[in-house]
Each structure stands twice: as C-alpha cells, then as structure tokens.
Amino acid sequence: MQRSNLDLERFAAVASHDLKEPLVTIGGFLALLKRRCEGDLDSEANRHIRFALESVERMERLIVDLLEYSRVGTHSRPFQVIDSSAILEITLKNLAGTLHSKGALVTHDPLPEIIADSTQIGQLFQNLVGNAVKFCRKETPRVHVSALRKGREHAFYVKDNGIGIAPECADEIFMAFRRLHDGDEFPGTGLGLATCARIVKRHCGRIWVESNPGEGSTFCFTIPVKGTESIRH
Ligand code: ADP
C-alpha cells in the first residue's frame, strides 16, 4: 500500500512538473499575444485567445488538485488529538472570500475531539463545505456541520440546501475525475471528493452522501474513536 502510494505520488510529481513547464510557456505566450495584438485582432480571434487562457488556468488547477490527491498517502502528519471545531473554524476563515461572495451562511454544532491528521481533516472540511456552497443555486446557500458519537465512531454531517444528487450517482462522485455537472456553471476538476475519500480511508473511516435532486445533500463521514495509545504514523 505504502509503495503504491509512493509510486502514485512520484508519478504525479513528475507528470505535474513536466506538464507545468510547457503550460507556463503556453500561458506566457498567450498573455503576450493578448497584450500586443488585442487591438489588431477581430473579436472572434480575441475570443479564441480568451478560451485558450481559460484552458491553461483549468489545467493548472488540475495539476494542483492531482498533486493534492496523490499526496494523501505520503505527505501525511502523525495522528494527534485535535479539536475538530477549531479545525472547522480555521477552514471557514480560509473560505471566507468564497463564502462572502456567495452570500453563504455556515453554522455548526460543537464538534468533538478526535484523533486524526489535523491538516487532512481541514482539507476534508474545505472540500465538503466548498462544494456545499458551490453546488447551490439558492440566493443564500446554507450549510450546517454537526457530529454524533455512534458507538466506536464519530459521525460528521455536512448538510446543504444545494442542488442535490440523484441517489444512483451517490457512489460514483467519490471516484477521481467523476463530475455530474458541467464546468461552465460549476467549475472544478472532479478530484475533491476523491481526495476526501482517500483521507477518510487513511483514517479507517467511511464517507457517503445522502441526497435527492433539488433537496440538498448531506455528506457524512466517520472517524473511529481510538484510545490515545493507538496514536501512530
Ligand atoms: P468538483 O467539485 O471539482 O467538481 P468533486 O470531486 O468535489 O469535484 O465532486 C464531484 C461531483 O460531485 C461534482 O462535480 C458534483 O457533480 C457532485 N457534488 C459534489 N458535492 C456536491 C454537493 N454538495 N451538491 C451537489 N453535487 C455535489
């Protein structure tokens, strides 16, 4: 497992390095073309340049997300006792610009202390809350985060009032590059939930979604309650 994680990360690192270089060149020349020739070109040609520049940005985003996905197994921190409310608060500060621009309201109950990798739990909240706000057409996206102790697990719930998901698609969205919506209305790379699934798996938990189209979604994940003696990695 560790070896395949390392292989994946090496592959992603090399691929992203090799992809980044030509991409920077393409982006640079396109920007130059736009700056120097915008006035001489007709609107159609300028539109083509704009599309090409947008594709460069999408590709850059893809490379960053691919690296993040591949690093879950290798760039990890030791598990520690962490206050998940505090981690969520930090995440919400990171997302403040997005939340403000979408007019979103995010609330949460007191969340438990858990034994986990704090950076990865932050990534998890960031992806889930970010999606909850992104996949919403309402004037005020509302997100509520709560948690329940269920036997030997803490179950977390991220509930939104967004567009919802058809139950038959509930499993496939956790696969890499699987997207249900087109990139014009909802930009993205399709790697966020796959990264969440890898993070939860590393913590020996489960992740799933409960939803129906038009009725909002609740993303749920569990983190096992472990004795402090089992802190490892
Ligand atoms: P991305 O957000 O980059 O598209 P994700 O892996 O985060 O990729 O999500 C995969 C797909 O799952 C999204 O493209 C979208 O179709 C669906 N999805 C994720 N979160 C939500 C949500 N909160 N509400 C509705 N659909 C969602």
Side-chain angles (χ1 to χ4, degrees), residues 74-94:
T74 50
H75 281 51
S76 41
R77 297 226 188 132
F79 288 6
Q80 288 173 329
V81 179
I82 58 169
D83 172 359
S84 52
S85 286
I87 304 286
L88 178 63
E89 290 292 344
I90 295 169
T91 306
L92 296 183
K93 280 197 186 122
N94 293 340

Side-chain angles (χ1 to χ4, degrees), residues 5 7-8 11-12 18 42 63 65 73 76 79 97 118 126 131 136-137 162 169 171 184 188 199 214 221 225:
N5 277 340
D7 283 348
L8 173 66
F11 169 78
D18 287 1
D42 62 21
I63 291 172
D65 286 359
S76 41
F79 288 6
S118 58
Q126 182 139 343
N131 276 349
C136 185
R137 297 193 180 103
C169 300
D171 290 335
D184 281 344
I199 290 173
F221 67 89
V225 177

Side-chain angles (χ1 to χ4, degrees), residues 65 127-136 158 160 162-165 169 172-182 186-196 209 211 216-219:
D65 286 359
N127 278 320
L128 296 180
V129 175
N131 276 349
V133 170
K134 176 165 70 171
F135 294 102
C136 185
V158 179
D160 67 48
I163 59 176
I165 296 164
C169 300
E172 66 183 78
I173 56 172
F174 294 97
M175 293 174 191
F177 303 115
R178 207 55 69 93
R179 311 194 70 231
L180 304 179
H181 305 96
D182 84 79
F186 301 111
T189 58
L191 282 163
L193 289 179
T195 302
C196 290
V209 64
S211 182
S217 309
T218 303
F219 280 81

Side-chain angles (χ1 to χ4, degrees), residues 143-175:
V143 186
H144 186 70
V145 184
S146 57
L148 259 185
R149 170 84 187 252
K150 286 194 164 178
R152 300 173 67 82
E153 293 180 324
H154 292 290
F156 288 81
Y157 305 91
V158 179
K159 181 177 166 55
D160 67 48
N161 63 341
I163 59 176
I165 296 164
E168 63 271 22
C169 300
D171 290 335
E172 66 183 78
I173 56 172
F174 294 97
M175 293 174 191

